[in-house]
Amino acid sequence: MSTELQAELQQAVDRRRNFAIISHPDAGKTTLTEKLLLYGGAIHEAGAVKARRAQRHATSDWMEMEQQRGISITSTVLQFEYLNCQINLLDTPGHQDFSEDTYRTLAAADNAVMLIDAAKGLEPQTRKLFEVCKLRSLPIFTFINKLDRPSRTPLELMDEIEQELGLQTYAVNYPIGTGDQFRGVYDRREQKIHLFERSLHGSREAIDTTIDLGDPRVEQLLDKDVYYQFKDELEMIEGVGPELDLEAVHCGQMTPVFFGSAMTNFGVEPFLNAFLDYALKPGSHASTQGEIDPTYPEFSGFVFKLQANMDPRHRDRVAFVRVCSGRFEKDMTVSHARTGKTVRLSRPQKLFAQDREVIEEAYPGDVIGLNNPGVFAIGDTIYNGQKLEYEGIPCFSPEIFAYLRNPNPSKFKQFRKGVSELREEGAVQIMYSADDAKRDPILAAVGQLQFEVVQFRLQNEYGVETLVEFLPYTVARWVDGGWEALQKVGRIFNTLTVKDSWERPVLLFRNEWNCQQLQTDHPELKLSAIAPVVSGKEPMAL
């Protein structure tokens, strides 16, 4: 490998930071995303998601249904430059019904930002997503949001993170007051106090007054009680709190904590500056050829998300690819690990929510959008040089099941196309009855809202009205050993046997108790809550 290319790759990797935001619904994730873009110069005015109709919609929520409901239900990628760094922000759905999309997005992230509502502390969805980050040992940066509203004390919130998640905390900045008395944050890195004035709905950058901690004006500018309480707490965390240990941060054992309010822009810019210094740069990925370093000269990457109809006028399908090694170039030809075919990557795109521009090149840590004429599936590896395959992205156990019926036979072609493309994209899992006479697909989802989105999109994007008939099951388990292992067991009661899109047997149970009962009766039958990762096999057609 030429030293020139090695130096170019190293330089590109050093400039890149890639992260996903995880949170419970309503913690302010889309608002924080908008504010990071605002400070990154990528947008000039932030559009509050739940704002009045006359205001702009949030940049990251582009799907019509998202704008109607004020929630994020698809993952998008937002790339922008800030302080000579290229930042890839993987925006994920906050709603728990779309947690599977978030799991997939975390597979492409190098860092996670955990967003917490200061009044509510840790919430169920945050805990669930934290477990996924933990599985991958992702560095976690905590942003405690909504400090300008009534909230719990900073020490209580940090203690909760330590007790419940087993993460050491280090406060990078510390708030001065909370709720109505919130006056700003003290940056421990620079030893300066940032006092903020509210800007109109937080739609523009906050006016930042910075003064030294020892400046005599501090006592005139701050309420005495608020100031002395802040000083007492600061002395305490500086006296007994741990030192910042970046190695522990990078292993996912310590979390740097930032306090602020995304809605009013308090603390967003200091967070972004510290994040660039502390975050992990793009690293190596495990593959069939061992760990692949980002400076490995040959291009490689994997598909972590598919999205149909981002531009309804062109009926397009986009594959989101995380670049893992080498340099990506427009129009390059690559090998497709699952099918063994050669694919030419024309019209690669830089993504910014729904807006896209054609790019000439990309480097490890970047996410590129590729037109997908049915070639790619989630988890696919593309590469040049020696054959390699990255670890696939598993499907998690769905909890709601329903037959999807098409009442209009003349629309069967559109129905089949829509179901197939939405399955490909991972909007929902598709299963089928083991009885071949029943051809209606079974939708399998984590949450109710996924069904609504599938029906909404089938009607809006494919012109097909559908009916949903719910099934009384809440647990799915894949059978290790396939049909052969299932036949050895003989007849099974209180379950429904279906097959997934790769024709593997899946058992549906009414509840967890039924599932445990079967395992007690048949200990030789091995069941899995996570679908085996598929390689080299096409899914069955409707």
Side-chain angles (χ1 to χ4, degrees):
M1 166 172 164
S2 75
T3 40
E4 227 173 273
L5 177 59
Q6 178 118 41
E8 182 188 334
L9 288 173
Q10 192 59 60
Q11 196 180 353
V13 168
D14 288 345
R15 280 189 65 232
R16 278 160 173 74
R17 303 289 185 279
N18 163 319
F19 71 99
I21 301 179
I22 61 168
S23 75
H24 193 82
D26 282 337
K29 185 171 61 61
T30 304
T31 308
L32 178 63
T33 301
E34 291 277 317
K35 299 313 168 71
L36 292 171
L37 300 178
L38 179 70
Y39 279 99
I43 55 175
H44 300 294
E45 189 171 321
V49 188
K50 294 199 169 171
R52 293 179 288 283
R53 286 184 182 185
Q55 286 187 358
R56 303 174 60 248
H57 287 300
T59 306
S60 52
D61 288 338
W62 56 267
M63 195 188 277
E64 186 185 341
M65 194 167 173
E66 295 180 296
Q67 294 175 356
Q68 284 174 7
R69 294 188 178 216
I71 55 167
S72 302
I73 53 182
T74 54
S75 298
T76 52
V77 180
L78 304 149
Q79 296 178 330
F80 59 96
E81 293 266 334
Y82 181 70
L83 297 184
N84 200 33
C85 280
Q86 170 134 330
I87 298 174
N88 288 279
L89 194 169
L90 306 173
D91 185 35
T92 59
H95 200 286
Q96 63 262 33
D97 286 7
F98 297 91
S99 46
E100 185 125 5
D101 202 8
T102 307
Y103 297 147
R104 289 192 287 262
T105 302
L106 286 170
D110 298 316
N111 304 277
V113 171
M114 179 166 70
L115 184 64
I116 292 174
D117 182 323
K120 295 173 183 168
L122 288 175
E123 295 177 87
Q125 181 69 357
T126 320
R127 288 188 184 91
K128 204 169 166 185
L129 294 169
F130 165 76
E131 289 303 326
V132 181
C133 296
K134 196 173 162 188
L135 280 174
R136 301 196 53 248
S137 302
L138 280 183
I140 293 174
F141 295 80
T142 302
F143 189 92
I144 295 179
N145 193 23
K146 304 188 184 181
L147 258 286
D148 57 321
R149 298 183 187 181
S151 54
R152 289 160 63 183
T153 69
L155 293 173
E156 191 187 336
L157 290 161
M158 287 165 66
D159 187 55
E160 184 176 48
I161 293 167
E162 298 207 347
Q163 298 302 323
E164 293 204 26
L165 304 183
L167 272 179
Q168 261 199 311
T169 58
Y170 176 86
V172 180
N173 66 19
Y174 201 81
I176 302 166
T178 58
D180 290 345
Q181 293 189 307
F182 181 47
R183 295 292 173 263
V185 293
Y186 169 64
D187 188 330
R188 291 176 70 193
R189 291 174 356 127
E190 299 173 348
Q191 300 195 325
K192 287 185 188 299
I193 287 175
H194 293 263
L195 296 173
F196 296 95
E197 290 174 39
R198 291 166 193 261
S199 65
L200 178 68
H201 297 301
S203 63
R204 301 194 184 278
E205 293 177 33
I207 302 151
D208 185 350
T209 309
T210 308
I211 52 175
D212 293 322
L213 184 59
D215 191 312
R217 288 179 302 157
V218 171
E219 298 202 35
Q220 293 154 23
L221 291 165
L222 295 173
D223 176 271
K224 256 192 183 144
D225 291 345
V226 170
Y227 178 59
Y228 287 126
Q229 186 181 348
F230 152 71
K231 276 193 81 170
D232 288 347
E233 290 181 10
L234 185 65
E235 272 174 32
M236 195 169 99
I237 61 167
E238 295 201 325
V240 300
E243 291 292 307
L244 179 65
D245 177 350
L246 276 186
E247 207 171 296
V249 170
H250 292 165
C251 303
Q253 292 164 356
M254 173 183 264
T255 179
V257 179
F258 302 83
F259 292 88
S261 161
M263 182 57 83
T264 51
N265 297 339
F266 289 168
V268 176
E269 192 177 21
F271 161 71
L272 196 50
N273 294 340
F275 174 79
L276 293 185
D277 287 347
Y278 297 159
L280 209 51
K281 295 168 190 170
S284 58
H285 279 75
S287 80
T288 49
Q289 295 296 333
E291 290 284 325
I292 301 295
D293 197 75
T295 56
Y296 176 68
E298 299 285 8
F299 164 77
S300 69
F302 64 86
V303 177
F304 68 93
K305 175 182 168 58
L306 299 173
Q307 181 71 55
N309 303 326
M310 282 183 80
D311 182 348
R313 289 166 304 178
H314 297 121
R315 317 289 296 163
D316 64 344
R317 290 147 87 195
V318 175
F320 289 68
V321 174
R322 154 73 196 237
V323 180
C324 296
S325 70
R327 180 177 61 204
F328 169 87
E329 290 168 1
K330 183 186 166 192
D331 290 329
M332 76 191 301
T333 301
V334 296
S335 300
H336 187 290
R338 177 170 54 86
T339 60
K341 291 177 181 167
T342 301
V343 185
R344 182 165 173 258
L345 306 179
S346 55
R347 285 193 61 74
Q349 295 158 345
K350 173 187 173 184
L351 300 146
F352 189 79
Q354 195 178 13
D355 302 327
R356 283 163 285 164
E357 58 184 72
V358 175
I359 54 163
E360 299 298 322
E361 57 188 20
Y363 292 92
D366 286 344
V367 171
I368 49 175
L370 299 173
N371 284 332
N372 176 32
V375 174
F376 299 113
I378 288 166
D380 279 354
T381 298
I382 51 176
Y383 66 93
N384 272 337
Q386 184 183 18
K387 178 171 182 180
L388 63 93
E389 205 163 348
Y390 290 109
E391 293 173 337
I393 300 172
C395 291
F396 290 80
S397 176
E399 293 163 22
I400 306 178
F401 307 87
Y403 277 112
L404 183 69
R405 309 215 188 268
N406 166 29
N408 186 349
S410 65
K411 292 281 182 86
F412 179 70
K413 212 170 163 185
Q414 295 95 310
F415 175 70
R416 181 170 64 182
K417 183 177 190 230
V419 169
S420 156
E421 289 185 1
L422 292 175
R423 180 206 56 75
E424 231 177 54
E425 164 185 323
V428 72
Q429 290 182 48
I430 301 288
M431 295 178 179
Y432 299 91
S433 169
D435 177 355
D436 289 333
K438 293 182 180 170
R439 293 303 299 146
D440 285 325
I442 296 168
L443 298 185
V446 174
Q448 171 83 38
L449 197 52
Q450 276 177 281
F451 287 172
E452 291 178 37
V453 169
V454 165
Q455 286 190 282
F456 178 87
R457 291 185 62 188
L458 283 171
Q459 176 144 23
N460 245 33
E461 297 167 20
Y462 301 91
V464 181
E465 274 195 51
T466 52
L467 302 171
V468 161
E469 187 189 309
F470 286 95
L471 290 163
Y473 302 99
T474 62
V475 176
R477 292 291 180 265
W478 279 263
V479 179
D480 294 356
W483 294 102
E484 203 180 313
L486 198 56
Q487 276 163 356
K488 283 179 186 167
V489 173
R491 199 153 171 221
I492 297 174
F493 297 97
N494 294 327
T495 63
L496 177 68
T497 303
V498 298
K499 52 190 176 186
D500 70 6
S501 293
W502 283 270
E503 301 192 62
R504 301 171 299 193
V506 183
L507 299 180
L508 305 188
F509 299 90
R510 287 174 187 272
N511 51 43
E512 200 68 52
W513 186 85
N514 284 147
C515 177
Q516 284 165 3
Q517 187 70 44
L518 177 70
Q519 297 205 275
T520 307
D521 295 346
H522 299 282
E524 75 282 8
L525 190 64
K526 299 283 178 272
L527 302 178
S528 170
I530 296 174
V533 173
V534 189
S535 181
K537 191 182 176 194
E538 292 297 311
M540 64 189 281
L542 185 60

